[in-house]
Amino acid sequence: AYERLQSALCQEGLPPTLDCSAEPRTGFGPLDMTVCILGSPIPFLPVLLEGGTRCPGAMVLCLSPTWASRVPSESCPGAWSLLLSRGVSFKLGGHSALETFVPPRRANYVTGTFTPGDPEGGWVGELARDLDCPTGGSVPLAHRLEDTLVTRWVLAARANLPVPPTLAFVLGARGDLPAEPAVPGVRLVRLQDPQGQQSLVQQE
């Protein structure tokens, strides 16, 4: 992931990341702004660069689960705080630095690559689960948003927005969908067993 970041910075004509990890950064308290991006740097590079311009040093990219830890929250019982021991921070002009934080730096906002099937999605989703700070998504939410049928049902039934004519065959109960979705443009056909139901499929 670190090499991918360097390649992306090079393609943008930006300087490579400066390795400052030998001299730990200190003095970060709970009120210092820390926006943490977990996982792949590529989808969030524009955000990291813009954040580095507007709030130099506040945007911190975490590329490995070994760079962060979860500790029980002091302010929200049952929740967790995310502490960063290492990260790539972004500054003015697209400059970035690999830094270590002693003591670990507490995240105030967390987002990342929650895409289902992404090789980094597992540890990203685990680190971002049940945090005491706002998060920009979750693995379950990403699963819901990537489900075309659920997305179209929400847009049509809840937001009253037109969707493309949709014929959907689903197996079993699909508890995340209503029993009878009266949605314009969406027809839902439930199949108990795909074997022997070719005539029903053909009819629909």
Side-chain angles (χ1 to χ4, degrees), residues 40-169:
S40 175
I42 307 305
F44 289 96
L45 189 58
V47 176
L48 291 163
L49 295 174
E50 181 66 17
T53 299
R54 294 182 179 269
C55 301
M59 303 291 295
V60 181
L61 175 63
C62 177
L63 297 174
S64 168
T66 62
W67 292 11
S69 60
R70 290 159 51 91
V71 298
S73 172
E74 296 178 359
S75 58
C76 301
W80 301 82
S81 295
L82 187 67
L83 302 180
L84 300 172
S85 58
R86 175 176 283 218
V88 178
S89 61
F90 285 76
K91 301 173 176 61
L92 288 169
H95 291 271
S96 58
L98 176 62
E99 299 178 320
T100 54
F101 307 111
V102 178
R105 186 172 173 177
R106 182 177 176 272
N108 305 109
Y109 179 84
V110 175
T111 190
T113 48
F114 298 108
T115 308
D118 190 292
E120 290 157 343
W123 68 264
V124 169
E126 182 58 30
L127 283 180
R129 183 175 50 83
D130 300 329
L131 295 181
D132 59 358
C133 66
T135 57
S138 67
V139 172
L141 178 61
H143 276 287
R144 294 295 292 259
L145 293 177
E146 289 203 352
D147 189 319
T148 305
L149 181 57
V150 171
T151 303
R152 290 186 183 184
W153 185 85
V154 169
L155 289 174
R158 301 289 177 84
N160 200 27
L161 294 173
V163 298
T166 304
L167 173 61
F169 297 93

Side-chain angles (χ1 to χ4, degrees), residues 2 16-23 86 96-99:
Y2 187 81
T17 300
L18 189 63
D19 188 348
C20 303
S21 58
E23 299 178 9
R86 175 176 283 218
S96 58
L98 176 62
E99 299 178 320

